[in-house]
Amino acid sequence: MSYQARIARFCQSFDAAPQKEILLSRTLFRAAAMLEMRINEALEPCGMNMPQYLAMAMLLADENAPPTNPSEVSKLLDMTRTQVTRLMDSLETAGWVTRTLDKEDRRRMMLTLTPEGKTQLNRAVPVVHAVYHRAWSVFDNDSQDQIAAELTHFHEGLENQTA
């Protein structure tokens, strides 16, 4: 039985079940998980996964800005501080990122992409971009623009809601 049929059967048990919204949400979650799986598969030959790639990409983007700290990574990647610590451990072990104490506030750790990390990221970027391109190629440019606007609107709406 498909997940759509299961959702329909589940919703029959509850009078006010928002079937359309549940289906939309589950489809979004499933698509995001599948996209991440495809990216992880593509990154395997590079010896990294999507969270590592995203963290390194963020560090590269911030290269000429004030140094990045783990709290910023946590916010931007929607990860807990513990998850970011583990992520940075793996990147540091690989030799792709260094962690140093902030000279102005020794309680803060600063993150920097190493030259080896830049080389590895440059190897991974076209691989990830190809996955993004293939994934979104089912839509024409106008549809992509509309989806981007709608997802941004959806995200902003969620940010403004409370539980």
Side-chain angles (χ1 to χ4, degrees):
M1 176 185 317
S2 70
Y3 81 96
Q4 295 98 326
R6 283 187 172 94
I7 289 170
R9 287 183 73 185
F10 170 81
C11 289
Q12 288 173 354
S13 302
F14 299 92
D15 292 336
Q19 184 172 336
K20 180 173 53 175
E21 290 87 346
I22 293 170
L23 183 59
L24 285 166
S25 299
R26 288 303 313 146
T27 302
L28 182 62
F29 294 148
R30 289 172 54 100
M34 189 173 293
L35 180 58
E36 184 169 358
M37 182 179 73
R38 297 284 184 255
I39 290 171
N40 282 333
E41 289 168 353
L43 283 171
E44 209 168 293
C46 299
M48 71 174 67
N49 58 35
M50 187 171 165
Q52 291 170 321
Y53 171 83
L54 292 173
M56 292 170 63
M58 188 185 83
L59 292 175
L60 182 66
D62 290 352
E63 190 172 47
N64 295 319
T68 304
N69 64 55
S71 292
E72 292 172 71
V73 175
S74 176
K75 288 177 194 166
L76 289 170
L77 299 185
D78 299 316
M79 299 175 93
T80 66
R81 285 292 306 247
T82 301
Q83 291 170 320
V84 169
T85 297
R86 285 190 199 118
L87 176 63
M88 289 306 136
D89 287 346
S90 72
L91 292 172
E92 191 171 44
T93 298
W96 299 336
V97 168
T98 58
R99 291 185 270 200
T100 55
L101 290 176
D102 186 340
K103 291 176 177 132
E104 295 176 17
D105 183 350
R106 296 188 54 80
R107 296 170 296 172
R108 287 178 38 139
M109 190 67 62
M110 306 313 289
L111 308 168
T112 308
L113 197 58
T114 66
E116 295 83 10
K118 288 179 191 175
T119 298
Q120 193 65 12
L121 184 60
N122 285 331
R123 190 172 153 225
V125 163
V127 170
V128 173
H129 288 182
V131 174
Y132 283 139
H133 179 72
R134 276 193 312 273
W136 289 99
S137 68
V138 298
F139 301 105
D140 63 31
N141 284 335
D142 289 340
S143 295
Q144 289 178 17
D145 291 342
Q146 183 178 356
I147 292 166
E150 296 294 344
L151 286 173
T152 298
H153 181 68
F154 180 64
H155 183 262
E156 289 168 353
L158 287 173
E159 282 184 324
N160 294 327
Q161 293 176 9
T162 57

